[in-house]
Amino acid sequence: MFTIDERYRGLPANRDQVLALHLALNTPHVAIPGKQAGPAQAFVVGLRGGQGAGVFVYLYLVEAGDCAVYVSGRRIQSADELREDEDDALAFVESLGFMMDNANWRAAAPEQQDEWLKTLPVFFREPTLVPAVKARAEEKRNVATTLGRFLAAF
């Protein structure tokens, strides 16, 4: 059973900590309690930590630049438990309308892994730090400034 854990805003990790990565192929409209509803991206990530491993579901609300992190609540000690939690997490996000793809983290080239760590919202400490969110905020500022200058000309 996966539940929202408000303490998490992102899952920054290094290459060695990531055990599994699944990415959504689509961006369905989802409603998350306490968040603005809208299109979302889903990530299922298995991470190794100091006290074992864990599987996380990270939902990134694209338009809001916000996220929700779901945790299973148990620390994984074996490969079988990791697969079980991964399967549960995939079933959970698929029930929300996501179509998931296994990124095959371990088989990916180190360069590809580094690229994912630098670009996927799940690996940022805070969703507002995601480059796309920063670019959208800058674009909105530019549009507002341009519109303000246009209206001031009259």
Side-chain angles (χ1 to χ4, degrees):
M1 180 73 171
F2 284 82
T3 57
I4 292 179
D5 190 332
E6 296 290 337
R7 296 175 296 167
Y8 291 100
R9 299 289 297 154
L11 302 169
N14 62 46
R15 258 193 288 148
D16 297 332
Q17 290 176 300
V18 180
L19 301 171
L21 174 64
H22 299 267
L23 313 163
L25 298 172
N26 61 340
T27 55
H29 191 90
V30 297
I32 299 169
K35 310 273 184 194
Q36 178 183 339
Q41 295 174 327
F43 303 89
V44 173
V45 182
L47 293 176
R48 179 187 350 260
Q51 299 173 358
V55 174
F56 300 86
V57 172
Y58 181 93
L59 300 181
Y60 177 65
L61 297 164
V62 178
E63 290 176 353
D66 200 358
C67 71
V69 179
Y70 291 79
V71 298
S72 71
R74 76 174 186 173
R75 288 288 167 208
I76 297 166
Q77 301 299 327
S78 72
D80 288 338
E81 289 177 340
L82 177 67
R83 275 191 293 283
E84 275 179 38
D85 270 15
E86 253 183 275
D87 290 343
D88 291 347
L90 291 169
F92 172 66
V93 294
E94 287 169 355
S95 75
L96 296 174
F98 292 98
M99 295 183 302
M100 302 301 288
D101 182 39
N102 187 344
N104 292 313
W105 178 268
R106 294 197 173 173
E111 297 79 24
Q112 178 64 60
Q113 292 173 346
D114 288 338
E115 182 68 21
W116 284 328
L117 290 170
K118 292 177 189 171
T119 59
L120 294 179
V122 65
F123 295 119
F124 284 82
R125 185 168 305 285
E126 181 69 35
T128 56
L129 300 175
V130 175
V133 172
K134 287 179 167 180
R136 263 197 313 279
E138 182 64 31
E139 183 179 310
K140 284 181 182 177
R141 263 194 304 271
N142 289 342
V143 169
T145 302
T146 303
L147 180 61
R149 288 182 182 149
F150 174 73
L151 294 174
F154 290 100

